[in-house]
Amino acid sequence: MIHGVWRELIADLYPGADLAPGADVAMLDEAEKALGLPLPFELVALLSEVDGVFNTYGDAVVWPLARIIDDNLAIRAEPDYVELYAPFDDLVFFGDSDMGPQFAYVYTDYGPGIVVWDHDTDRRRLVVVSLQDYLVRCFTQGTAWHG
């Protein structure tokens, strides 16, 4: 039986989803300390129910918590990126699309929003304002919805 709002939403959008157990609460707290930013409430709620969300191709629509930590710390520490890209300190990357654009929370005056980042151009464009909308688009509109 599926328990939790996020697990139900994912199961409705992708009935064949294999949903992993949620992330450890202590690890969620450690993630915020490691990243130096609070994790958005909705991302914490989702990760508490299921640690990572994958599409039919096995792509991580929402990365497991360990990858969120590792990838964010790595991208911030990469010396070449300091010269190539604007700073990443105000972003929390959490998912990608077919090894292409990556998605991150960015904090605005109105709260967190989700941007798509194009590594070729360093373009960061707000695409949705909620994790629910992000998941709905990922599972119902395919990979090109963020165009």
Side-chain angles (χ1 to χ4, degrees):
M1 176 174 268
I2 296 173
H3 298 286
V5 174
W6 291 104
R7 292 178 80 82
E8 282 186 32
L9 174 66
I10 296 162
D12 286 346
L13 294 170
Y14 177 33
D18 183 18
L19 302 176
D24 180 72
V25 174
M27 183 85 166
L28 287 162
D29 290 339
E30 288 302 314
E32 291 185 342
K33 290 176 188 165
L35 298 176
L37 289 171
L39 294 175
F41 176 77
E42 63 186 2
L43 183 60
V44 170
L46 181 142
L47 292 170
S48 295
E49 290 183 29
V50 58
D51 192 13
V53 179
F54 300 87
N55 66 18
T56 55
Y57 307 107
D59 300 314
V61 174
V62 176
W63 300 335
L65 183 58
R67 181 173 175 195
I68 291 172
I69 297 167
D70 292 346
D71 281 20
N72 278 276
L73 294 179
I75 200 169
R76 293 176 187 177
E78 176 59 44
D80 291 340
Y81 288 4
V82 172
E83 293 179 29
L84 293 172
Y85 303 120
F88 297 106
D89 296 342
D90 64 343
L91 299 174
V92 175
F93 287 96
F94 69 89
D96 59 60
S97 174
D98 298 329
M99 300 302 290
Q102 295 185 337
F103 296 90
Y105 276 96
V106 63
Y107 291 89
T108 69
D109 291 341
Y110 305 104
I114 296 174
V115 298
V116 60
W117 174 62
D118 183 328
H119 67 277
D120 290 329
T121 64
D122 196 26
R123 183 175 182 211
R124 302 158 190 212
R125 186 173 51 83
L126 187 67
V127 288
V128 293
V129 295
S130 76
L131 187 57
Q132 179 176 341
D133 192 24
Y134 168 79
L135 290 171
V136 168
R137 289 179 188 226
C138 285
F139 286 111
T140 63
Q141 297 180 14
T143 59
W145 65 267
H146 49 77

